[in-house]
Amino acid sequence: LMTEIAPPSPPSLCPLAALLPLWQDHLLAQRGLSPQTVLSYSQDLENFFLFRQELASGAPLAPLPDEQEIFLYLAWLRARQNTGRTLARRLSALRAFFDVALQEGVVKVNPAQLMDNPKLPQHLPEVLSRDEMEKMLAQPDIRERGGQRDRCMVELLYAAGLRVSELCGLCV
């Protein structure tokens, strides 16, 4: 399915590189990811193989990465000013890839499985001012058909702090 995405070079650096097409097909067919997401994950893996290549230039490298190498990779990414979101996505790609390698019997353990995701910043949602909320509550015309329902929904959203999707999912 994803044969147009070539394995990273050099494939001899890591026997896992040969699993890349199988992994891409797995992401598309079994996990239902979009081709663009699979391409992004593939680029993340290529980045990991490039890291391994850089690491191998300094000392002999084991044929299969271990937890320490994954940890070094994350440190390498941090040193290159990658954001926490980028680190989390790349770690997710590694976990998924090593899960396939584990299923295929290429590795005995997923070295990325126990790595903690980086803490991501939490953003508070924007809230309406009192005047903005009063204007919103005044919008539904309670004299029209459905106006009382609409007014009730707006009040419920406001009073309970619901998301619209949560309101739509209510069964009453």
Side-chain angles (χ1 to χ4, degrees):
L1 292 171
M2 291 296 293
T3 53
E4 69 273 5
I5 302 175
S9 27
S12 61
L13 181 62
C14 180
L16 294 170
L19 283 177
L20 190 58
L22 178 68
W23 173 71
Q24 292 167 332
D25 288 344
H26 168 79
L27 293 178
L28 280 171
Q30 296 194 2
R31 293 201 35 207
L33 299 180
S34 75
Q36 187 59 44
T37 301
V38 173
L39 179 62
S40 294
Y41 275 15
S42 297
Q43 290 168 344
D44 292 341
L45 261 189
E46 185 168 349
N47 184 264
F48 175 68
F49 289 124
L50 290 172
F51 162 76
R52 290 198 91 222
Q53 186 176 7
E54 187 176 305
L55 199 60
S57 67
L61 195 59
L64 298 173
D66 58 9
E67 287 181 15
Q68 183 179 6
E69 192 172 318
I70 303 295
F71 183 80
L72 289 172
Y73 173 62
L74 295 175
W76 184 76
L77 291 172
R78 278 191 190 98
R80 281 157 182 73
Q81 307 302 313
N82 284 272
T83 66
R85 288 196 193 289
T86 300
L87 293 173
R89 190 192 71 231
R90 291 192 175 174
L91 187 55
S92 176
L94 285 173
R95 281 189 189 117
F97 181 73
F98 284 114
D99 280 344
V100 170
L102 192 61
Q103 291 169 2
E104 293 297 312
V106 177
V107 296
K108 293 180 180 174
V109 65
N110 182 338
Q113 193 62 46
L114 298 178
M115 290 287 162
D116 289 332
N117 273 332
K119 299 285 184 208
L120 299 178
Q122 303 246 340
H123 300 286
L124 293 174
E126 291 185 32
V127 295
L128 299 175
S129 69
R130 184 182 199 101
D131 289 339
E132 291 170 326
M133 195 59 225
E134 286 174 1
K135 287 179 188 174
M136 185 180 285
L137 286 170
Q139 288 300 311
D141 186 352
I142 58 174
R143 296 174 300 209
E144 289 184 18
R145 181 179 171 115
Q148 287 182 328
R149 178 207 59 210
D150 293 348
R151 170 75 188 242
C152 181
M153 288 171 46
V154 171
E155 285 186 19
L156 183 59
L157 281 170
Y158 176 64
L162 295 178
R163 296 181 180 98
V164 172
S165 60
E166 293 170 328
L167 176 68
C168 292
L170 289 177
C171 295
V172 289

